[in-house]
Amino acid sequence: MALPIIDSMLRGDLRRQILSTLKTEKEISLLWRDLMKATQGKQSLMAIEKALVAAVETSGLVQVSADYGNDREVRQGAEEARKQGISSGEYNYTRIDEELSLDGIFNFTTETTPTDKFLHLLVKVECRRTIESLLMLVKSVHDDAVVRTYVRKLFSRISSFCKDTNDLYIRESLTQLYFEVYHTFKNVLEKGDLQSYETDFENFIFDWKGEFPDEGVVAKYSEKAQAFSPRVKIDHGSDTLSSPPAEQPHQLAAKPKDKFDIFLEAANVFTFSELPKIKELGTSQKIRQFVECLLQEKETVADTFGHTAAMLEFLGFFTWIADNHVSGYRLNQYDTWCSKNIMGKSSGTAFKHYRLSVAVSPTDTKNESYKYLGWKYKESVIEEYQRILKG
């Protein structure tokens, strides 16, 4: 869901000045005629991707099949994990059966050439493909935390593209996509605690345009958004309405979450279970065993959190978040997250002391961080991990 076609329109061979040297208007007109089929009626994700590959990759303009293949691998991997009982988010899964269309809120610029038609169709179909891919992801992963991660990354990319281009058609189309995704997945998004993305339509446009949209555009948007009220379906191992379903007398009470469940739910906002070393464990039982080891209480507080800090350092959790989830992620943000989700602090960066202690030399007793004991477990956490992996 990296929007490779729009990226090429900004930086690659689909830039108008480059495209004009690669294809004649006649050649371009042949490409967009086939692409029109992907906009007619409800098309499957496979059909949409096939049309896009034919339009831009077979014609030698943009490589997109690798991106589509990566998305398929994620979905297939998630489905296989659920079959094997590895998935940790099955009881935190909101079904998405309805989607919002904001078609008609913008008066798009007139197309006067085959190139205009081709580029506009590409934007439209790539946006359609993005929605369909997200809907398929929901059905595959059964984990709201994972879906939130992908949606937030998409929001960040859309916002960046809107600021990087002056093409009004691209900007308005991406704005439409952004708020179609926002409202379609709103019930999933609002269950998370990292809502740093823009949710106000007018403010979003102001951010890339420098002024608020016309009142007519706002009115059209508001009418469609307010009329959209999908039923919320949250699955708890069965196809049930609302969350949570009323408990029947003959049903067992839901198992309360312990600190390990709570940690995993928070960590999977950053796809913790996809960390290479966690994924290598292979089964949900081993992942659970590892999390229990990660959070185990030891003889002192310094030992407990020093051990956890050393284990997270071994996993490369901070680097994973910074590289894959939050652009510009800083250590103080990481310390705040760990302080809350590991130490149970409502605020502050207390975990920082334990993180810093991991890199201290065992002989450097004058270093203030020495007393937090992360250094003590730097080697032993590797042995603990190996025991669980091979066990």
Side-chain angles (χ1 to χ4, degrees):
M1 285 163 274
L3 302 172
I5 291 174
I6 293 174
D7 185 53
S8 182
M9 290 180 183
L10 273 61
R11 305 179 180 92
D13 287 347
L14 287 178
R15 287 175 291 175
R16 287 178 180 269
Q17 65 271 31
I18 303 298
L19 182 60
S20 64
T21 67
L22 300 175
K23 303 287 182 184
T24 65
E25 292 285 1
K26 184 175 182 179
E27 289 173 323
I28 289 173
S29 67
L30 296 175
L31 294 176
W32 70 252
R33 287 174 187 173
D34 290 335
L35 196 60
M36 279 289 293
K37 297 175 184 177
T39 67
Q40 298 170 354
K42 180 71 173 178
Q43 299 290 323
S44 68
L45 178 61
M46 184 179 296
I48 292 172
E49 290 180 347
K50 184 177 180 181
L52 288 170
V53 169
V56 299
E57 185 166 313
T58 305
S59 61
L61 294 171
V62 189
Q63 295 291 318
V64 294
S65 56
D67 287 298
Y68 301 164
N70 288 338
D71 288 348
R72 279 194 297 274
E73 287 180 11
V74 170
R75 295 194 298 269
Q76 291 166 358
E79 289 169 359
E80 186 61 32
R82 286 196 295 109
K83 290 176 184 177
Q84 296 179 14
I86 298 174
S87 175
S88 62
E90 187 72 27
Y91 292 88
N92 184 28
Y93 160 47
T94 305
R95 289 181 56 180
I96 306 294
D97 292 330
E98 300 173 66
E99 57 187 281
L100 174 65
S101 170
L102 291 174
D103 285 347
I105 65 169
F106 291 111
N107 296 317
F108 290 121
T109 53
T110 304
E111 298 157 348
T112 59
T113 67
T115 296
D116 290 341
K117 187 78 171 179
F118 178 54
L119 293 176
H120 289 189
L121 273 173
L122 283 176
V123 172
K124 183 176 182 179
V125 178
E126 179 156 69
C127 289
R128 181 71 248 155
R129 186 258 164 196
T130 302
I131 291 277
E132 292 298 327
S133 186
L134 279 171
L135 291 171
M136 289 291 288
L137 180 71
V138 170
K139 295 177 181 177
S140 298
V141 302
H142 284 207
D143 190 333
D144 288 353
V146 174
V147 175
R148 282 195 295 272
T149 296
Y150 277 89
V151 171
R152 284 199 305 271
K153 290 170 70 174
L154 175 64
F155 282 171
S156 177
R157 195 158 183 81
I158 289 174
S159 298
S160 177
F161 281 162
C162 284
K163 295 172 185 175
D164 289 347
T165 183
N166 291 319
D167 189 308
L168 184 60
Y169 184 85
I170 293 177
R171 284 175 156 180
E172 291 179 340
S173 297
L174 288 178
T175 298
Q176 178 176 324
L177 171 63
Y178 186 103
F179 284 94
E180 285 177 342
V181 170
Y182 170 64
H183 287 286
T184 298
F185 297 91
K186 187 175 181 180
N187 291 310
V188 175
L189 291 167
E190 291 185 345
K191 290 167 66 178
D193 61 355
L194 288 174
Q195 297 176 28
S196 58
Y197 44 84
E198 181 61 72
T199 61
D200 185 273
F201 180 74
E202 294 182 71
N203 284 340
F204 184 87
I205 292 179
F206 182 87
D207 202 32
W208 58 255
K209 191 177 183 180
E211 59 185 49
F212 289 124
D214 295 340
E215 290 183 4
V217 173
V218 176
K220 291 177 185 177
Y221 164 77
S222 298
E223 181 181 359
K224 287 179 176 287
Q226 291 170 10
F228 183 69
S229 55
R231 291 188 303 167
V232 180
K233 291 186 177 183
I234 301 179
D235 278 16
H236 296 268
S238 62
D239 191 9
T240 54
L241 283 174
S242 75
S243 173
E247 183 179 344
Q248 300 300 318
H250 65 278
Q251 290 179 322
L252 293 175
K255 179 183 176 182
K257 293 180 182 179
D258 57 26
K259 67 177 183 179
F260 309 113
D261 297 320
I262 293 170
F263 170 82
L264 259 180
E265 184 174 315
N268 270 329
V269 169
F270 303 120
T271 55
F272 180 82
S273 297
E274 293 297 310
L275 270 160
K277 288 186 174 68
I278 299 299
K279 201 170 184 179
E280 191 177 353
L281 293 173
T283 68
S284 58
Q285 291 80 10
K286 285 188 176 182
I287 293 175
R288 172 71 180 203
Q289 184 182 355
F290 176 83
V291 172
E292 290 178 356
C293 175
L294 173 72
L295 301 178
Q296 66 180 293
E297 292 186 12
K298 294 184 174 293
E299 54 271 23
T300 70
V301 172
D303 282 291
T304 297
F305 297 126
H307 170 265
T308 301
M311 188 68 88
L312 291 177
E313 181 73 17
F314 166 67
L315 293 177
F317 191 35
F318 168 76
T319 302
W320 172 262
I321 298 171
D323 289 350
N324 297 281
H325 294 287
V326 183
S327 178
Y329 194 61
R330 300 186 301 277
L331 283 169
N332 67 321
Q333 294 174 281
Y334 175 72
D335 291 332
T336 299
W337 187 93
C338 290
S339 299
K340 175 183 176 182
N341 295 289
I342 294 172
M343 301 179 69
K345 305 287 187 182
S346 59
S347 62
T349 59
F351 192 79
K352 173 183 178 180
H353 304 298
Y354 301 98
R355 174 179 58 79
L356 291 174
S357 73
V358 177
V360 174
S361 169
T363 61
D364 190 6
T365 57
K366 294 181 180 180
N367 190 314
E368 181 65 20
S369 294
Y370 177 87
K371 64 183 180 182
Y372 292 99
L373 302 186
W375 54 269
K376 180 179 175 181
Y377 296 97
K378 191 172 183 178
E379 301 300 328
S380 63
V381 294
I382 301 174
E383 297 172 2
E384 291 172 2
Y385 171 82
Q386 290 298 325
R387 281 198 298 271
I388 295 171
L389 178 65
K390 296 175 182 178

